[in-house]
Amino acid sequence: MVVPRHWREREHRYRLVATKCKICGRIYFPPRSVCPNCGRKSIGNMEKLQLSGNGTVYTYTIVHSGMNAFKLQKPYILAIIELEEGPRVTGQIVDAEPNEVYIGMPVRMVFRRIRQEGASGIIHYGYKFAPR
Amino acid sequence: MVGIVSYGAYIPRFRIDTGEIARVWGEDPNRAKKSLLVESKAVAGPDEDACTMAVEASRYAIRRWGGDPADIDVIYVGSESHPYAVKPTASILADALGASPHVMAVDLEFACKAGTAGLISAMAMVKSGMARFGLAVGSDTAQGAPGDALEYTAASGAAAFIVGSQGVIARLNGFHSVTTDTPDFWRRAGRPYPRHGGRFTGQPAYFKHILMAARGLMEKMGTGPEDYDFAIFHQPNTKFPLSAGKRLGFPKEKILPGIVVNKIGNTYAASMLMGLARVLDKAEPGQRILAVSFGSGAGSDAFDFTVTENIEAIRVDGVPTVDELIERGRFVDYAIYAKYRGKILMGDEE
Ligand SMILES: [Zn+2]
């Protein structure tokens, strides 16, 4: 059952909301409710943090035979983005051609359709990245 | 004082030349360029829809504004291409912006004027004291049936306006609206493409309502064309707004700054609002704007705005102007356009 899971995760998928450990200051995205560094002490000490959405391409690959859901977009760029605040996140790069992407490229978060559960199902929205 | 406090526009990256559409359907490649004065139109990517574009335009508006999205008490999203038949675009937008949960959010539909219907409704909520700030968005991935005359212009784009009573960049001086039952363009429930009354869409629909709303407003305000620096009209093509303006007594120079349709096509619920955004990109304090939308079915909303000195403060880095969005276009051929806009019959998913 994907609908409830997607619904629960919408805050970070829609808006890049991370969590920050108040004890050691580490920032987690996707958000965590416990800091692996501080363990039990961090319980109740994790606060929400709105990330800026800006980052740079840490590394990337060009996907030529991806999932069916991305059939209309191939070949497409899948990258690991290093966000300004530190966390690294995997995401698709849009509004750029495969030959235009490079390591270190400045990108910003954009809101796109990720996939849909068939023509009658729920549409999953979330973050992708575009050149900035 | 109630008015616009910020705005943002979004135009997807892809473009198709109207000559390329004509090539596929065996028509004169210069037809749309000569008769409609439309060179190209904006095409949304396969992972874009009216909701994603509404989010992008609204995020630009919020960045210019610099306020807290949680202070937005009302959200209207006008579109004729909401991604769901039942389930509001406005609720997704509210969450994506961080305006939820304490917000009244709802979708509107009135062909190409659903966005301006939201704009005046949000202003009324602010003026009555029922909302601190309001957000009105017009967003569409408009589709014409393949081979239909509409296909040359039906385009994708969004424009978002934050309204309020503090930090107003364009004060609302007055408003007038007209509505009649006019079957010039329609799409029945469950049908993918609209139908229209051909030539009937001009005189008894577009011109009648635009002229009636504009004249009604100027009569209310005791103004004439000479009192306005800019006149913006709904733009299904470039010819119609120029002709409507001429009949109202506006010189071309006051209309051209609000024209975007020649490069990006008719963005439906975003059309007039995109023109307004382009004018606000360059307007100076004290300048007065007449802006009139048109929605088939049919009706027009006419607005009278005066730009304030606050306009300079929202011209921030990192938010593109309408011209910058227009310029970033990447042209695709008809096959790619058909793939992106769901015009190819695919096999079963997954
Ligand atoms: Zn920690």
Side-chain angles (χ1 to χ4, degrees):
Chain A
M1 193 58 190
V2 185
V3 172
R5 201 197 75 194
H6 182 78
W7 174 75
R8 272 198 307 276
E9 294 177 348
R10 72 196 189 289
E11 191 173 53
H12 84 256
R13 289 184 188 275
Y14 285 9
R15 285 195 281 136
L16 287 183
V17 174
T19 50
K20 183 177 178 178
C21 172
K22 282 199 247 180
I23 297 169
C24 72
R26 283 187 168 78
I27 296 166
Y28 296 99
F29 189 89
R32 286 173 177 267
S33 49
V34 177
C35 172
N37 187 45
C38 304
R40 294 187 55 172
K41 280 187 293 176
S42 69
I43 295 172
N45 281 305
M46 301 297 284
E47 60 183 2
K48 282 184 184 176
L49 178 74
Q50 174 64 61
L51 302 175
S52 72
N54 288 337
T56 51
V57 173
Y58 178 74
T59 186
Y60 68 93
T61 184
I62 310 299
V63 183
H64 291 274
S65 58
M67 292 184 294
N68 218 14
F70 293 88
K71 195 174 186 175
L72 298 177
Q73 297 169 62
K74 71 179 188 190
Y76 61 92
I77 310 160
L78 198 62
I80 295 174
I81 308 300
E82 188 162 271
L83 297 168
E84 258 174 9
E85 295 85 355
R88 286 178 191 160
V89 50
T90 302
Q92 190 185 337
I93 294 187
V94 294
D95 289 356
E97 299 305 301
N99 62 3
E100 291 165 355
V101 65
Y102 59 93
I103 288 168
M105 181 168 84
V107 293
R108 65 184 177 91
M109 184 250 289
V110 295
F111 187 81
R112 295 287 175 109
R113 290 165 84 119
I114 308 297
R115 58 186 296 273
Q116 60 175 4
E117 295 174 21
S120 62
I122 286 287
I123 302 163
H124 297 274
Y125 292 99
Y127 57 81
K128 293 188 180 182
F129 294 87
R132 137 166 83 92
Chain B
M1 187 203 291
V2 59
I4 297 164
V5 300
S6 185
Y7 65 97
Y10 180 79
I11 302 168
R13 184 180 185 229
F14 303 105
R15 304 279 181 278
I16 185 165
D17 191 289
T18 52
E20 168 70 1
I21 298 172
R23 181 186 68 83
V24 169
W25 299 110
E27 292 184 336
D28 173 5
N30 288 316
R31 180 183 139 173
K33 287 176 190 173
K34 278 187 190 148
S35 66
L36 305 171
L37 307 174
V38 177
E39 294 165 34
S40 54
K41 68 170 188 174
V43 177
D47 58 351
E48 296 187 286
D49 61 25
C51 180
T52 64
M53 297 193 304
V55 171
E56 291 297 309
S58 301
R59 281 179 176 168
Y60 284 139
I62 287 169
R63 198 175 315 164
R64 272 201 178 110
W65 173 44
D68 183 353
D71 291 344
I72 295 171
D73 294 325
V74 58
I75 296 179
Y76 294 108
V77 185
S79 182
E80 59 115 76
S81 49
H82 289 291
Y84 290 92
V86 178
K87 197 206 167 309
T89 305
S91 63
I92 304 167
L93 176 64
D95 257 21
L97 300 178
S100 64
H102 300 288
V103 60
M104 201 293 284
V106 69
D107 290 357
L108 299 176
E109 187 276 316
F110 194 145
C112 297
K113 87 163 189 94
T116 62
L119 183 59
I120 194 61
S121 304
M123 285 176 162
M125 291 279 277
V126 169
K127 197 172 179 183
S128 70
M130 293 176 76
R132 289 168 294 171
F133 292 95
L135 171 66
V137 189
S139 182
D140 260 311
T141 50
Q143 295 257 36
D148 186 271
L150 273 183
E151 198 187 15
Y152 289 103
T153 53
S156 301
F161 286 76
I162 299 173
V163 305
S165 55
Q166 293 160 25
V168 168
I169 61 156
R171 181 182 72 228
L172 180 73
N173 303 316
F175 168 78
H176 189 73
S177 194
V178 297
T179 308
T180 72
D181 177 2
T182 307
D184 57 317
F185 167 99
W186 63 92
R187 179 165 63 81
R188 290 284 301 274
R191 294 285 168 172
Y193 299 116
R195 289 180 60 185
H196 54 86
R199 285 179 190 280
F200 187 67
T201 56
Q203 197 45 50
Y206 179 88
F207 290 104
K208 178 179 149 186
H209 294 85
I210 290 257
L211 300 183
M212 204 164 32
R215 286 176 181 142
L217 177 63
M218 287 193 280
E219 201 172 306
K220 251 185 201 173
M221 305 301 297
T223 52
E226 64 284 357
D227 294 306
Y228 299 93
D229 299 284
F230 303 102
I232 303 151
F233 304 102
H234 172 57
Q235 33 201 288
N237 54 60
T238 311
K239 269 208 161 150
F240 276 24
L242 289 177
S243 163
K246 193 174 176 186
R247 286 162 71 171
L248 288 165
F250 287 97
K252 225 176 172 178
E253 300 71 51
K254 292 186 177 183
I255 304 166
L256 288 175
I259 294 288
V260 292
V261 61
N262 55 329
K263 300 278 189 191
I264 62 165
N266 178 5
T267 53
Y268 282 53
S271 169
M272 181 277 251
L273 295 174
M274 191 78 75
L276 178 58
R278 185 169 190 253
V279 164
L280 289 175
D281 280 344
K282 47 191 113 182
E284 288 167 19
Q287 288 190 314
R288 197 163 175 177
I289 300 167
L290 177 79
V292 191
S293 66
F294 170 74
S296 291
S300 279
D301 301 325
F303 298 79
D304 180 332
F305 293 112
T306 299
V307 177
T308 78
E309 64 286 353
N310 294 328
I311 191 89
E312 314 283 358
I314 65 150
R315 289 177 177 153
V316 300
D317 289 341
V319 180
T321 63
V322 171
D323 281 348
E324 284 166 348
L325 290 165
I326 290 173
E327 290 310 315
R328 70 173 196 150
R330 177 172 172 265
F331 281 82
V332 295
D333 63 14
Y334 194 93
I336 297 291
Y337 153 77
K339 182 175 81 166
Y340 283 179
R341 293 322 305 148
K343 291 169 186 278
I344 294 177
L345 189 58
M346 304 288 286
D348 293 337
E349 291 183 64
E350 270 121 308

